[in-house]
């Protein structure tokens, strides 16, 4: 064992409600019924944060938040004043880095005219638009509540309000999609001049409507052709791929997601939210009660916690590699021991095997996949399973 060194610290805030549950979504999200109190949930979030801060007081003492991420669900269902109240409450409890990144996920169908300027005033400095496609037929098939025109209008409104740092989420390999359609979505996104694009393949996740009733999806070869062609177009447009599904202009990588992928720490508040904290005596994962009502009813006591357990030494190497190898540039080899508490010898045998197979670069300074390793990433990370 080596000494654990606390990594950067982030905060994840989960807003669990959506206008409608999408058939492909396996996140902890619930269709709104109109009777939820956003004010009460805001109070619950801050009470939850108070509880975590008390429990992890020694581990987080003196550490500033480098990023805050509002995810969901659909955080843009919450009025800017409530997002501001949450951010003010966080700032009153924890120090924020001078350049803290604060991201709000938004559904283009839930943001009214004028709201973006108010989100900016509240402290949000980065937006993530869940567009998924600019093809209206595909959007209907995905169960989205917005049209392509509404997505473009929302993004243009955000830009006029002062946001220049925003992400567009796009999916490919959609039901009955072809290569031309996948590239057309990328072109529509590029025309809106985002700073960041998340481009990921639609997959059938367990316990979703699509898993129970699978739509006709492109086969693996067609999906791979879409991925390669879209990667090339994004690169041509100046978007560097830095993670399996993430592309950014210079200086606009998602700091919050990078913290996940480099085995950083994150407090997590909200129904079903998952966090990870490094302390002197080990690494802990904590998650919250999933259902919003049960979570809120337990706001002031331990029942809000759905689970809390240490990350065993035997699992840390795999968890680190599972995240780090998603990064195209990999991570410094020197980060492994301080972030896992393990000696490099813990992963030397599988690392050497991956190098011999041509999946990892034989680099004394970085953990980084080859091009083949990136294509076979699941096989590479499986080598590090204990």
């Amino acid at each position: 064992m080596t000494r654990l060194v606390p990594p950067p610290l982030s905060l994840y805030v989960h807003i669990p409600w959506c206008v409608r549950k999408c058939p492909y979504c396996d996140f902890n999200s619930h269709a709104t019924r109109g009777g939820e109190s956003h004010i009460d949930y805001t109070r619950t979030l801050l009470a939850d944060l108070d509880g975590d801060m008390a429990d992890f007081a020694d581990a987080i003492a003196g550490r500033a938040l480098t990023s805050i991420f509002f995810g969901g669900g659909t955080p843009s269902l919450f009025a800017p004043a409530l997002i501001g109240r949450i951010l003010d409450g966080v700032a009153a409890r924890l120090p924020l880095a001078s350049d803290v990144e604060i991201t709000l996920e938004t559904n283009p169908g839930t943001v009214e005219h004028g709201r973006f300027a108010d989100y900016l005033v509240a402290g949000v400095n980065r937006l993530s638009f869940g567009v998924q496609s600019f093809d209206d037929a595909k959007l209907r098939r995905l169960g989205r509540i917005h049209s392509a025109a509404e997505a473009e209008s929302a993004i243009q409104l955000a830009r006029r309000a002062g946001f220049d740092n925003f992400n567009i989420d796009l999916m490919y390999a959609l039901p009955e999609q072809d290569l031309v359609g996948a590239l057309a979505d990328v072109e529509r996104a590029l025309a809106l001049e985002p700073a960041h694009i998340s481009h990921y393949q639609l997959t059938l996740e367990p316990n979703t409507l699509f898993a129970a009733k699978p739509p006709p999806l492109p086969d693996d070869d067609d999906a791979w052709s879409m991925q390669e062609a879209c990667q090339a177009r994004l690169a041509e447009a100046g978007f560097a791929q830095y993670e399996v599904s993430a592309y950014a202009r210079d200086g606009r990588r998602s700091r919050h997601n990078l913290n996940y992928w480099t085995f950083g720490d994150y407090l997590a508040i909200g129904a079903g939210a998952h966090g990870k904290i490094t302390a002197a005596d080990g690494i802990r994962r904590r998650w919250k009660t999933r259902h919003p009502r049960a979570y809120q009813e337990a706001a002031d006591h331990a029942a809000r916690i759905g689970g809390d357990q240490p990350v065993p030494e035997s699992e840390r190497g795999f968890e680190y590699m599972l995240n780090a190898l998603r990064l195209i540039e990999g991570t410094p080899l020197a980060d492994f021991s301080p972030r896992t508490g393990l000696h490099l010898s813990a992963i030397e045998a599988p690392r050497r095997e991956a190098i011999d197979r041509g999946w990892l670069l034989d680099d004394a300074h970085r953990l980084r996949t080859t091009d083949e390793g990136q294509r076979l990433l699941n096989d590479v990370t499986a080598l590090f399973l204990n």
Side-chain angles (χ1 to χ4, degrees):
M1 286 292 291
T2 62
R3 186 173 69 88
L4 283 163
V5 177
L9 179 66
S10 297
L11 172 67
Y12 175 71
V13 183
H14 190 72
I15 307 296
W17 294 291
C18 288
V19 173
R20 182 170 63 202
K21 181 81 171 179
C22 295
Y24 59 83
C25 178
D26 68 338
F27 296 152
N28 184 36
S29 59
H30 305 262
T32 183
R33 297 179 179 178
E36 302 88 0
S37 171
H38 293 178
I39 294 175
D40 288 347
Y41 190 78
T42 296
R43 294 193 192 101
T44 302
L45 287 172
L46 295 176
D48 188 4
L49 181 58
D50 287 334
D52 280 0
M53 289 181 61
D55 293 343
F56 298 127
D58 292 340
I60 65 174
R63 299 169 67 185
L65 294 178
T66 61
S67 65
I68 301 172
F69 195 100
F70 289 87
T74 306
S76 54
L77 287 173
F78 272 43
L82 290 180
I83 297 297
R85 188 178 301 182
I86 295 166
L87 289 173
D88 288 345
V90 171
R93 291 162 169 80
L94 290 164
L96 307 184
S98 59
D99 59 348
V100 62
E101 174 193 271
I102 303 176
T103 302
L104 179 83
E105 286 188 334
T106 177
N107 183 326
T110 64
V111 181
E112 301 167 359
H113 181 77
R115 267 198 171 190
F116 288 117
D118 292 334
Y119 283 130
L120 197 62
V121 170
V124 175
N125 54 30
R126 183 176 183 270
L127 296 171
S128 182
F129 287 94
V131 175
Q132 315 313 355
S133 177
F134 289 96
D135 181 320
D136 284 340
K138 296 293 186 285
L139 288 170
R140 288 192 295 270
R141 195 66 179 270
L142 293 172
R144 305 299 288 172
I145 64 170
H146 65 271
S147 67
E150 286 170 333
E152 289 173 330
S153 176
I155 292 169
Q156 290 161 354
L157 284 171
R159 182 179 292 282
R160 288 198 291 271
F163 280 100
D164 64 351
N165 189 9
F166 61 88
N167 167 66
I168 294 177
D169 271 349
L170 286 180
M171 288 182 174
Y172 67 94
L174 303 177
E176 300 178 333
Q177 188 178 50
D178 58 17
L179 178 58
V180 172
L183 282 168
D185 276 346
V186 170
E187 292 296 339
R188 295 277 290 271
L190 291 173
L192 293 166
E193 300 183 322
H196 190 285
I197 291 178
S198 297
H199 187 254
Y200 51 97
Q201 183 176 348
L202 173 63
T203 55
L204 302 182
E205 301 295 341
N207 303 315
T208 65
L209 184 59
F210 270 7
K213 298 180 179 179
L217 299 180
D219 63 26
D220 290 344
D221 289 341
D222 286 342
W224 178 250
S225 296
M226 292 178 197
Q227 180 179 333
E228 285 193 312
C230 292
Q231 282 177 340
R233 179 66 187 102
L234 288 165
E236 181 184 37
F239 285 80
Q241 184 183 16
Y242 68 98
E243 188 266 345
V244 170
S245 58
Y247 303 76
R249 296 195 183 279
D250 287 346
R252 294 306 180 98
R253 297 180 177 187
S254 168
R255 190 177 310 162
H256 189 84
N257 287 339
L258 277 171
N259 195 37
Y260 289 153
W261 295 322
T262 54
F263 214 51
D265 279 356
Y266 41 99
L267 293 164
I269 57 176
H274 283 240
K276 167 188 169 285
I277 293 294
T278 300
D281 59 349
I283 301 171
R284 299 197 69 83
R285 290 200 180 277
R286 170 175 287 187
W287 57 97
K288 304 301 169 55
T289 297
R290 283 180 60 86
H291 197 278
R293 181 181 299 172
Y295 167 76
Q296 287 183 264
E297 290 173 350
D300 297 320
H301 49 85
R304 78 186 194 286
I305 301 171
D308 189 329
Q309 62 187 31
V311 180
E313 293 174 24
S314 61
E315 296 177 9
R316 293 181 196 171
F318 171 71
E319 286 207 20
Y320 184 90
M321 300 301 282
L322 181 67
N323 289 283
L325 295 184
R326 292 182 62 89
L327 294 169
I328 305 303
E329 298 172 359
T331 58
L333 200 60
D335 283 354
F336 177 80
S337 290
R339 298 214 174 176
T340 63
L342 305 174
H343 192 273
L344 272 172
S345 59
I347 58 166
E348 185 54 29
R351 187 174 82 92
R352 180 50 54 186
E353 181 177 351
I355 290 170
D356 292 344
R357 293 190 184 193
W359 293 348
L360 283 185
L361 294 176
D362 192 358
D363 188 328
H365 303 289
R366 293 194 75 79
L367 289 165
R368 182 179 180 182
T369 59
T370 61
D371 289 344
E372 182 182 6
Q374 200 54 225
R375 288 195 297 272
L376 300 172
L377 195 56
N378 289 340
D379 296 317
V380 181
T381 53
L383 292 177
F384 295 88
L385 273 170
N386 189 314

